[in-house]
Amino acid sequence: MARTVRFSTNSKVEALDVKDFDVATFIFVLLLTVGGFFAIYSATSVAVNDRFTQQLQFGAIGIVVLIVMALVPVRWFSVAAYPFYALTLGLLILVLFKGEVVYNQKNWLSLPGSLHFQPSELAKLGTIMALGKYLSGDRKLTQIFDFVIACGIVILPVTLIMLEPDPGSAMIYIGLLCIVLLWSGADLFFLLTAIGAAIVAVLSLFGKMPMLISVLTIGAMLFFFFRKNLIMTAVSFMILIGASFSADFIYNHLHPYQRQRIDLLLTPEMDPLGGGYNIIQTKMAIGSGGLVGKGYLQGTQTQLRFVPKQWTDFIMSVPAEEFGFIGALVILLLYGFLISRSLAIASSVRSNFSSVVAIGITGIWFLHVTVNIGMTVGLFPVVGIPLPFMSYGGSSLITNMLMAGMLMNLYRNRRVMY
């Protein structure tokens, strides 16, 4: 007979079997983290540095954090939601005054020794928890007040992050907001209108004709599928048209290096030895891996350091070159299993707070994987988004371990209402 442990919540005692430990999530996280260790070792093996050793230390700390988060009383998450959110906002404010500038962005705080900490990573978890706390009450996202407050919880850290400026992280927060609002019952018509506006804004960069076609196509699809009245349809078209015209204004007011990233996304060959170098080299590394790759520590693009910062944003180019399409597919499947598992947890928990937090974690992982791999293969601009559990960096790894441990705790207490 399996052992059980007992804990109390709201004066009710629940009996939980030890089999409620979420083995699947733990295994997926462990495999991805170990895969990251191998990739970072390969990416840094030809240079004298301690990045691999540091990542092992971050991983050890992360595993401890994961286990602690998986075992603490689940009610602590709800109680700590707003204070933790306030703490992360304080760190985002602090970094604006005391932060260290790296690659034209003031988004790092210096720690003792040579370590650095990125508050925007931890703030993602704080924002998820605050959203979960707010939406776990008697909220109706069809009402304008509740909708605006929920958006404000995300817009506040986004504003601070844009002051750094870090548009890549801000984009992740906006994507998180759309996912959580959709999951929590917001009006699908307006959410899809917002997503359509983003698509129109991007396509407008390719010229007036793609922009016009996208406005008419997306607007017609929204009208056909939702059958809204004339006023609602007119508002939707105005939002789409406004997004198309505002794209040029926003583009012209970006920092020069940010405009360069967009230009190089469209035509990286325009500066093959400068800004387009990263995209071109990562494509070559991934393409040269073929079906089964060149072998561990045998990649030419990565071992000869043609790919800059290949242990961070472009970590995926290392296994793709050394283990080919098969290796890259294995990694993508692991991420697919992890995201599917977290989505299943979000669907199975009984608490509204747990459901929102679980879908928020799912959304963060999905967006990070999509954007990171997208920029590695040249589909998205280079915006400095790490690959969860695999990219070098303590801020990212430990924050993802925190999320994984919390997700495992929510699964362990999935039958508990609180």
Side-chain angles (χ1 to χ4, degrees):
M1 180 179 296
R3 289 192 308 112
T4 61
V5 293
R6 307 181 78 85
F7 68 95
S8 176
T9 177
N10 288 341
S11 301
K12 294 182 179 180
V13 177
E14 291 281 346
L16 294 180
D17 201 294
V18 292
K19 67 183 180 182
D20 286 327
F21 182 81
D22 190 2
V23 177
T25 297
F26 183 76
I27 289 177
F28 296 146
V29 167
L30 191 61
L31 289 175
L32 288 169
T33 303
V34 172
F37 291 156
F38 278 99
I40 291 169
Y41 179 81
S42 177
T44 60
S45 61
V46 296
V48 179
N49 60 71
D50 58 353
R51 292 190 181 92
F52 174 69
T53 302
Q54 287 183 343
Q55 191 71 359
L56 287 178
Q57 295 171 348
F58 295 147
I61 296 171
I63 291 296
V64 173
V65 168
L66 180 149
I67 294 174
V68 171
M69 291 291 285
L71 297 178
V72 299
V74 70
R75 279 184 56 82
W76 288 9
F77 298 148
S78 179
V79 172
Y82 287 150
F84 186 67
Y85 175 68
L87 172 63
T88 58
L89 289 180
L91 292 173
L92 289 175
I93 294 172
L94 180 63
V95 79
L96 295 177
F97 296 96
K98 299 292 186 179
E100 182 177 345
V101 178
V102 179
Y103 299 115
N104 299 312
Q105 296 175 344
K106 186 186 286 189
N107 53 6
W108 294 89
L109 289 174
S110 297
L111 297 177
S114 59
L115 299 178
H116 299 83
F117 169 67
Q118 191 172 9
S120 60
E121 288 295 321
L122 192 62
K124 293 170 187 174
L125 181 56
T127 303
I128 291 171
M129 293 172 65
L131 275 174
K133 182 70 172 181
Y134 181 75
L135 296 176
S136 64
D138 186 18
R139 313 296 181 188
K140 295 181 179 179
L141 290 177
T142 54
Q143 297 181 358
I144 187 65
F145 179 80
D146 291 339
F147 184 86
V148 169
I149 295 298
C151 291
I153 290 174
V154 178
I155 296 302
L156 187 52
V158 166
T159 302
L160 295 173
I161 289 170
M162 286 302 296
L163 292 175
E164 297 177 356
D166 186 359
S169 294
M171 177 177 62
I172 296 296
Y173 281 77
I174 297 300
L176 166 68
L177 176 62
C178 292
I179 291 172
V180 170
L181 290 179
L182 179 61
W183 182 265
S184 302
D187 193 302
L188 184 60
F189 176 78
F190 283 110
L191 281 178
L192 292 181
T193 298
I195 295 172
I199 295 174
V200 168
V202 171
L203 291 178
S204 68
L205 298 175
F206 291 84
K208 297 299 181 183
M209 185 57 66
M211 176 270 292
L212 179 61
I213 294 174
S214 64
V215 168
L216 294 176
T217 302
I218 294 173
M221 291 176 62
L222 290 171
F223 173 75
F224 177 79
F225 285 109
F226 289 93
R227 305 287 183 176
K228 294 291 185 178
N229 58 43
L230 184 60
I231 295 178
M232 299 280 281
T233 302
V235 169
S236 177
F237 268 99
M238 290 174 61
I239 292 174
L240 294 174
I241 294 172
S244 65
F245 284 103
S246 64
D248 285 338
F249 175 81
I250 294 173
Y251 174 83
N252 291 328
H253 286 78
L254 291 174
H255 290 274
Y257 76 91
Q258 293 171 334
R259 290 199 299 269
Q260 182 189 48
R261 288 177 176 179
I262 295 175
D263 295 338
L264 292 172
L265 171 67
L266 306 179
T267 54
E269 295 80 9
M270 64 182 290
D271 189 12
L273 298 179
Y277 182 81
N278 289 4
I279 298 175
I280 293 173
Q281 294 300 323
T282 54
K283 285 183 177 180
M284 291 177 62
I286 293 173
S288 65
L291 180 62
V292 296
K294 300 174 180 177
Y296 188 56
L297 301 178
Q298 301 302 313
T300 54
Q301 297 298 113
T302 52
Q303 291 300 308
L304 296 177
R305 306 294 291 277
F306 286 116
V307 182
K309 302 295 182 182
Q310 57 195 8
W311 50 88
T312 54
D313 298 344
F314 300 105
I315 191 68
M316 190 64 181
S317 63
V318 179
E321 183 181 24
E322 295 181 345
F323 299 101
F325 174 77
I326 299 299
L329 180 61
V330 169
I331 292 175
L332 289 176
L333 286 175
L334 286 175
Y335 279 117
F337 292 147
L338 177 62
I339 292 170
S340 298
R341 178 65 175 177
S342 58
L343 182 61
I345 293 173
S347 302
S348 65
V349 293
R350 296 179 61 190
S351 164
N352 289 335
F353 172 81
S354 298
S355 181
V356 172
V357 170
I359 198 62
I361 293 172
T362 305
I364 288 291
W365 287 343
F366 172 78
L367 292 168
H368 267 259
V369 172
T370 301
V371 174
N372 179 275
I373 294 179
M375 71 183 191
T376 300
V377 298
L379 296 178
F380 296 144
V382 179
V383 291
I385 298 299
L387 192 60
F389 303 105
M390 291 193 65
S391 290
Y392 168 80
S395 300
S396 173
L397 181 58
I398 293 176
T399 299
N400 281 300
M401 289 292 189
L402 279 167
M403 292 182 182
M406 179 177 288
L407 193 68
M408 293 168 63
N409 197 320
L410 298 180
Y411 173 80
R412 185 170 65 88
N413 294 282
R414 63 192 180 279
R415 294 183 290 270
V416 177
M417 293 289 294
Y418 62 96

